[in-house]
Amino acid sequence: MAALLQREFFIREDVVQIAKDLLGKYLVSYKDGIRTSGVIVETEAYRAPDDKGCHAYQNKLTERTSTMFMIGGTSYVYICYGIHNLFNVVTGPEGIAHAVLIRAVEPVDGVDHMMTRRNLKKVKKEMVNGPGKFTRAMNITKEQNAISLLSKKDDLWIEDRGVAVETPQIIEGPRVGMGRSVAECSNWPWRFRIKDNKWTSKPDQVWYDWS
DNA sequence: AAGAGGATGAACT
DNA sequence: GTTCATCCTCTTG
């Protein structure tokens, strides 16, 4: 049933396709003896060197972006606004700085622990419907930066539990949170979510529905 | 050595 | 709708 995603899935060249293919896959975290998991329901693609919204635009290599150049199947976690841990999946072969930002998950396992970590008494969408929210719920931090997602020996991995998300169920839209200097790129429809899924972030924003 | 700003979220009004 | 928390990373000098 639950098959660990293999290297072949991650090292493909088309990061936009991988962003779509990750919808419906299960992200699993095992931290402090606690297992939590969720279905990936919203993603964004980032692609150096031509994508101005990408940290590694023009293949800029710094200590932070060096993770993006690692082989597909590596995690890329960085701190945003000094507070939030944002989780990405590095894709493509080594040397190619592509990544998919996971923006929201639908909680599955360890829901009570997610609530505790999020300081909530009831399950609601606000628990996980944002890139800094579900990482908190699943205790994904910078400590998981640059680790492999291919082994259950590490804290994080991705499973295929046989859920297929067909093209008509995928809604695309512009990416979020980029300044004016990258407006041209922020309009690229590289953000994807599962149609009618209530766990996605900012559902009221502009979405293109091609179904 | 210093300063600006960011792939956000929460708590306000 | 607005504010601001909070700090790391990168750029500049």
Side-chain angles (χ1 to χ4, degrees):
Chain A
M1 273 306 278
L4 205 60
L5 282 194
Q6 302 296 307
R7 185 72 77 193
E8 290 69 32
F9 179 93
F10 297 105
I11 61 173
R12 288 175 291 160
E13 296 275 355
D14 188 350
V15 64
V16 176
Q17 183 62 48
I18 296 174
K20 296 183 200 175
D21 291 344
L22 279 170
L23 295 175
K25 301 300 187 288
Y26 286 68
L27 176 64
V28 187
S29 158
Y30 189 69
K31 291 281 291 292
D32 310 318
I34 295 170
R35 175 173 306 206
T36 54
S37 75
V39 182
I40 297 170
V41 297
E42 183 176 346
T43 62
E44 280 180 3
Y46 287 86
R47 187 185 72 188
D50 57 321
D51 172 11
K52 289 184 186 170
C54 178
H55 291 157
Y57 174 55
Q58 293 179 329
N59 285 333
K60 184 173 69 170
L61 177 60
T62 65
E63 189 173 351
R64 182 175 70 159
T65 66
S66 64
T67 305
M68 290 194 72
F69 290 87
M70 296 173 78
I71 192 168
T74 303
S75 76
Y76 173 41
V77 184
Y78 73 96
I79 307 260
C80 184
Y81 294 103
I83 309 168
H84 309 293
N85 292 274
L86 269 56
F87 170 72
N88 302 251
V89 177
V90 175
T91 72
E94 186 175 0
I96 303 293
H98 294 178
V100 176
L101 170 69
I102 309 301
R103 289 194 55 89
V105 305
E106 174 177 337
V108 176
D109 298 311
V111 174
D112 289 346
H113 292 289
M114 290 187 180
M115 279 192 300
T116 304
R117 288 168 175 160
R118 291 281 293 132
N119 226 345
L120 295 170
K121 291 212 169 87
K122 294 182 67 176
V123 177
K124 50 180 182 176
K125 63 180 192 298
E126 286 73 21
M127 184 169 82
V128 286
N129 68 347
K133 294 181 188 178
F134 82 85
T135 52
R136 177 91 183 261
M138 298 179 73
N139 198 16
I140 298 170
T141 70
K142 222 178 66 164
E143 292 175 20
Q144 279 74 53
N145 181 48
I147 69 169
S148 170
L149 297 169
L150 300 183
S151 166
K152 293 189 179 181
K153 292 201 262 314
D154 291 305
D155 303 333
L156 271 177
W157 63 89
I158 300 177
E159 293 175 1
D160 183 348
R161 297 189 187 176
V163 177
V165 180
E166 305 298 339
T167 302
Q169 293 303 117
I170 299 176
I171 296 182
E172 59 187 41
R175 292 176 297 178
V176 183
M178 266 161 283
R180 291 163 299 288
S181 62
V182 298
E184 146 205 343
C185 295
S186 69
N187 288 328
W188 294 352
W190 282 8
R191 178 181 180 213
F192 306 98
R193 72 174 171 97
I194 299 178
K195 187 177 184 181
D196 297 329
N197 187 290
K198 74 169 197 174
W199 301 94
T200 54
S201 75
K202 303 181 195 269
D204 50 331
Q205 257 191 230
V206 183
W207 291 95
Y208 314 132
D209 185 349
W210 302 113
S211 65

